[in-house]
Structures are given as structure tokens and as C-alpha cells.
Amino acid sequence: MLLKETKSLCPVCRKVLDAEITEEDGKVWITRTCPDHGTAKNLYWSDAEMYRRFDAYESIGDGVVNPQNSAGPGDCPGACGLCSNHHSGTLLANIDLTNRCNLHCDFCFANARACGFVYEPSFDEVIGMMEMLREEKPVPPPAVQFSGGEPTMRDDLHEIIWKAKEMGFSQVQIATNGIKLAKDITYVQELKDVGLSTVYLHFDGVTRETNQILPTSLKVVEHCKEVGLGVVLVPTIINGRNDHEIGAILKYAAENVEVVRGVNFQPVAFTGAASEDDIKRERVTIPDLADRIEEQTDGVIKKDYFYPVPCVIPISDLVEAYTGRPQVRFTTHQHCGAATYVFVEGDKFTPINEMVDVDKFFEAIDTMAVRMKSGGTINKYMSLIEGVREMSASASKGEVNGTKLWKLLGEALVFQNFDALRDFHWNAIFIGTMHFMDNFNYDLERVQRCCIHYTTPDGRMIPFCTYNSGPVYREKVWKKFAQPLEKEE
């Protein structure tokens, strides 16, 4: 059954082709035919029912007011970026600080240390990239993540982080393997002191079989716990390799809830050389991941508890109506990611869905936003009071935690007491997943809605999935600014 028509790529030559998204045997497939390389049919989502549920949350944004490129309707993905065809602003900006690394991971989409040259923007070039981000309109991105390669290979990382905070980024992250952080707790403290918000830690499992640097990973979490620096665990999930430890990773996160803010699972994207057999054997989709979470938590964290990223759009609408100022908008494609929250008490998970009727919550938020748009300070305040009362109806009856949750949310919304929400998050774990695309499941509609953008020294912002797959802008950018390999340490 045809679900939609879109554009995709030939997985061999990367030519842009008409494509169909279809449902067959309860799964969703993407099919296109290249005149030179024939028909390619690849798995898009492994659960058609979940695909349709997420489809209901579609929210197409208006893009940015000041794109870098003006492009025609047929220019995607060759005009990045951001081009005038793009529908989303930047939620998270990535800046590759280097392609040097102190590890060799076979699935690394950055292909670090295999280039034959060094890519490492100067300090001034990095500052220029951040200045460009802060000029994005109508809303500059709130978060920047320094990545690579391994960003801790840079001697000026402290100065870069400090400058990012000074320029107004509320969230400053590093994506790291943790080797340097594990060796020296003083280094971790110094990063926190200059403004680092979160360590985005590569963490593929809880055994040496799945995580070859497990002692290093555990030491990083220990050091971050000691200095009070938040950690997000980032496992790359590969079917048959580490997917059996998903529940154990969540258990470890719960045991360290005072420092682990979340787990962001990333199903493997086949951005290097991969055969059809590799893809069939190792592919994990978002529904597959949700299935394994439910199975490996003994049904506590259910598949149905996950929601797509655009579900939070009503909150942006509410804040815009209340403040009169544009807000960041989570208009990522509804099939790019999924998330939920769980609360930890001892060794017990309590999903937020068992404390709150999530659908009613978002309905109440949406209603509040609509009421506020009629204007007036008194009207806004009364709309908030009435809306919080309506939201309380979505809390589970008899739940002490549910009562506490609504008290905290009410204080945040009515009295702008965000310290209360910070305390609330301290015992909560965000569980999310982003399934970045490769040439086999490439959908241009998803590219045009991407909210995670790479910034380049030549003044562009490039969507994640064109930077690392499809046209692979990463290779072009790195080569353009390549330095001699002799600089490699």
C-alpha cells in the first residue's frame, strides 16, 4: 500500500530519484529505480502501525529568515546550506573541531584518521562559525556540540567552550570517547568551570564484548559525578552486536541517575562500505529499538510510551504566546526520532506515561496557547492558571509522583520557577533515539526538516544527514580545509 511519494537517492551513484514509501507485511519500505543501477527497495520503518501513529504529529516549520543559499525546488540535496528549501531552524549545531582521534571505531561515520590529512579549523574560524550561528533568525540555536574526531585532542578546547557560553549558547556539549576525561578529573573540572554543560559520551554497552573501552567509560561517569557535570550516554546500536544490552545500559543509567541525564540511542547508519547482507543483518530501526527497550525492561518502558520529536510543538506555541517572542521549534521530521522520560526511585523505573496522560497534557498546552493569543497580561495569567488546572486532569489518580510533577510544572509555567524543574529533572532520565539516514533509507523530506546542523568554516550550515551521507559534505569540507598529515599526533 502506498503511504507517500518522496525523493530519495540511488544507493550506488547517489542520483536523486522519485521514490515511494509503501507498507508491506506490517513494515514500511522505500523503493526507487535508478536508470543505471536498477531498483532498490530498503527497510524504512519496521512497524507500520507505529509509523502511522508518529505521522499524526507532523509539523512543517517555516525555516530560517536568513538562509545561506537560495535554491530551486529541484536543487536538494545539492544546495546545502541552509538553503531556502529548508523547513527547520537549528536546534543543535555541531562543529567538528578536528578529525584527529585516539580510537579506531569501525562504524564511525566521521571515518576519523582514515582521511590521509588533518582537518582542524583555527580558533578564529571556530569563533566565526559560532558568530554565524548566533545570527540565525528568527531564533539562534540554543545548543552547540563540539565533535570530531575527538574534540579533546584540541589544546584550546577550554577557550572555545568559554567563548561559546559568552556568546549566548545555553547548552554547550562535547561528543567524546572519554579517554582524556577518564585520565584526569582535574581536566573534567576545568571543562565544567569554563561552561561545559554536558558530556555526550560514546557508550556502546556494559561489557567488554560490546564496549572495548568500558573501564574508561565507567571512569568518565565517576569523574563527572564527582564534579557535578551531566552526562548523556550515546550508544550506537547494531543488531546482533550490542542490541541485547539496551536494557542493561538503561539500568546502568538509573544506577547513576545523579549524573546521567539521559540515554540517546543511535541506530547504526551505514555511511561507509556496506553490503546488502550487512544491512539486513545489522539494521535497527526506531520501532526495533522501542521493542527491545520494552522486552529488556520486562514491559515497564513500553513501546507505546515513545513519542516523536514534534510532539512538543504545543509547548513552543505556548511560550511564544506568553512571551510574545519567537521560540525554537522542534519541527524535525516525525520519523527521525523518538523519546520518553522515566523517573528513577531506587531500582524502579516509573515512566512519565504512567503518571500523566501525555496526549491530554499536550492538548491542554495547546488550548492554553490558543487562549493566550487573544492578548492582555491578565488574560495570559488567567489562561495559565486555568490551563495548569486542566493539565492536572491528565495526571494519574492517586499518584504521589503525579501530584509532585504537576506542582513543579505549575510553578515553572506560572511563576517561572525553573529551579523547581531542575530539581525535578535530577531524578529523571531522558530516553531518546535519533536514527540518522544513510544512502539506503534516504528521504529528502527528512533532510529538509532536519534540526541538527553542522557549521563549516566557509559559512554554511549543513543538515546532519547530508553532511554524513548522501552527498557527504563532510568529505568536501574536510578536504577543502585539509592540513598536512604531519600535524597528526
Side-chain angles (χ1 to χ4, degrees):
M1 178 177 69
L2 179 65
L3 298 177
K4 73 169 187 178
E5 295 178 341
T6 186
K7 297 280 187 182
S8 184
L9 301 177
C10 170
V12 179
C13 67
R14 303 177 187 174
K15 182 181 297 183
V16 178
L17 304 168
D18 292 330
E20 292 184 343
I21 307 291
T22 58
E23 178 183 343
E24 184 179 325
D25 298 327
K27 298 181 179 181
V28 178
W29 304 83
I30 183 166
T31 305
R32 61 281 195 203
T33 300
C34 175
D36 299 316
H37 300 102
T39 298
K41 180 179 180 181
N42 297 99
L43 185 65
Y44 191 92
W45 263 46
S46 59
D47 186 330
E49 182 179 350
M50 189 177 186
Y51 175 96
R52 286 191 293 271
R53 180 167 73 86
F54 275 40
D55 230 11
Y57 292 88
E58 181 177 45
S59 180
I60 300 175
D62 296 324
V64 299
V65 174
N66 54 336
Q68 280 74 36
N69 293 332
S70 179
D75 292 340
C76 186
C80 295
L82 289 178
C83 84
S84 52
N85 289 327
H86 206 77
H87 297 302
S88 297
T90 310
L91 294 180
L92 172 65
N94 278 329
I95 297 180
D96 280 340
L97 294 184
T98 182
N99 70 338
R100 293 184 293 143
C101 191
N102 42 17
L103 277 183
H104 297 274
C105 302
D106 61 347
F107 50 78
C108 178
F109 58 70
N111 199 25
R113 296 187 67 179
C115 304
F117 58 84
V118 171
Y119 168 81
E120 195 159 290
S122 69
F123 179 82
D124 288 340
E125 286 174 328
V126 173
I127 300 308
M129 288 188 265
M130 290 195 289
E131 288 174 344
M132 179 185 66
L133 289 166
R134 298 308 297 169
E135 292 170 359
E136 183 175 316
K137 294 179 173 48
V139 183
V144 63
Q145 181 178 105
F146 299 115
S147 54
E150 172 53 45
T152 61
M153 300 284 283
R154 297 254 326 208
D155 293 333
D156 57 357
L157 180 60
H158 297 77
E159 290 81 4
I160 291 171
I161 291 170
W162 182 85
K163 191 66 177 178
K165 292 297 289 188
E166 183 186 56
M167 294 173 69
F169 291 99
S170 58
Q171 279 288 317
V172 181
Q173 309 171 3
I174 58 169
T176 179
N177 57 37
I179 289 176
K180 192 166 182 178
L181 281 71
K183 289 179 179 178
D184 186 1
I185 192 172
T186 302
Y187 182 74
V188 180
Q189 182 69 61
E190 290 170 350
L191 292 177
K192 182 191 177 187
D193 289 344
V194 295
L196 186 66
S197 309
T198 306
V199 173
Y200 211 62
L201 181 65
H202 188 82
F203 191 97
D204 284 338
V206 296
T207 65
R208 290 297 291 265
E209 289 74 26
T210 58
N211 186 352
Q212 294 182 359
I213 59 168
L214 181 62
T216 294
S217 303
L218 301 181
K219 181 60 74 172
V220 173
V221 174
E222 179 184 321
H223 283 174
C224 289
K225 186 185 301 184
E226 288 188 39
V227 306
L229 179 59
V231 176
V232 173
L233 306 179
V234 189
T236 299
I237 300 300
I238 302 174
N239 189 52
R241 184 181 300 193
N242 66 342
D243 60 308
H244 62 289
E245 289 191 5
I246 291 171
I249 292 171
L250 291 173
K251 183 175 183 293
Y252 172 79
E255 291 168 351
N256 294 275
V257 66
E258 64 266 42
V259 65
V260 176
R261 302 289 187 259
V263 182
N264 195 9
F265 295 101
Q266 294 185 355
V268 64
F270 297 95
T271 55
S275 68
E276 289 286 344
D277 288 341
D278 291 333
I279 297 164
K280 290 177 181 178
R281 181 177 62 253
E282 297 180 345
R283 173 71 81 194
V284 177
T285 68
I286 289 174
D288 294 328
L289 180 69
D291 280 331
R292 285 161 177 73
I293 290 174
E294 181 168 346
E295 292 164 5
Q296 294 174 31
T297 60
D298 297 321
V300 173
I301 306 173
K302 301 185 186 302
K303 181 179 185 177
D304 289 344
Y305 289 171
F306 284 87
Y307 282 74
V309 176
C311 73
V312 298
I313 285 292
I315 298 176
S316 297
D317 290 338
L318 173 62
V319 177
E320 283 189 1
Y322 186 74
T323 65
R325 297 190 301 270
Q327 301 296 312
V328 293
R329 302 187 66 80
F330 292 74
T331 54
T332 302
H333 193 278
Q334 63 274 15
H335 296 123
C336 284
T340 190
Y341 264 96
V342 297
F343 297 87
V344 178
E345 295 180 271
D347 59 355
K348 179 185 176 185
F349 285 126
T350 302
I352 192 172
N353 313 66
E354 295 182 4
M355 298 161 57
V356 175
D357 184 321
V358 176
D359 291 319
K360 286 184 178 178
F361 167 73
F362 286 126
E363 287 174 9
I365 291 287
D366 194 42
T367 300
M368 291 166 68
V370 170
R371 287 173 180 161
M372 277 191 210
K373 288 177 181 176
S374 60
T377 302
I378 295 177
N379 179 69
K380 287 182 178 180
Y381 183 79
M382 294 306 297
S383 294
L384 276 175
I385 296 293
E386 187 174 347
V388 170
R389 190 179 301 120
E390 290 175 357
M391 284 194 300
S392 298
S394 68
S396 300
K397 302 298 182 183
E399 283 279 3
V400 176
N401 284 336
T403 302
K404 181 181 179 183
L405 169 65
W406 288 117
K407 179 177 180 293
L408 294 172
L409 285 175
E411 289 182 16
L413 287 168
V414 178
F415 303 114
Q416 302 292 290
N417 181 3
F418 296 107
D419 287 335
L421 276 186
R422 192 172 295 115
D423 293 339
F424 152 84
H425 187 274
W426 198 253
N427 292 317
I429 293 177
F430 168 86
I431 303 176
T433 174
M434 289 295 287
H435 191 179
F436 299 111
M437 294 187 293
D438 50 51
N439 294 339
F440 303 93
N441 58 8
Y442 209 85
D443 180 356
L444 287 190
E445 285 189 6
R446 283 186 55 185
V447 170
Q448 293 174 345
R449 307 259 293 281
C450 180
C451 291
I452 303 176
H453 305 147
Y454 279 89
T455 307
T456 66
D458 55 3
R460 289 182 292 165
M461 288 184 285
I462 299 175
F464 190 104
C465 287
T466 57
Y467 194 73
N468 296 307
S469 59
V472 194
Y473 283 93
R474 176 191 294 276
E475 294 178 1
K476 301 172 184 177
V477 171
W478 283 13
K479 288 179 180 178
K480 181 177 179 179
F481 294 92
Q483 302 171 24
L485 190 59
E486 286 73 26
K487 287 191 65 176
E488 183 100 23
E489 295 179 357

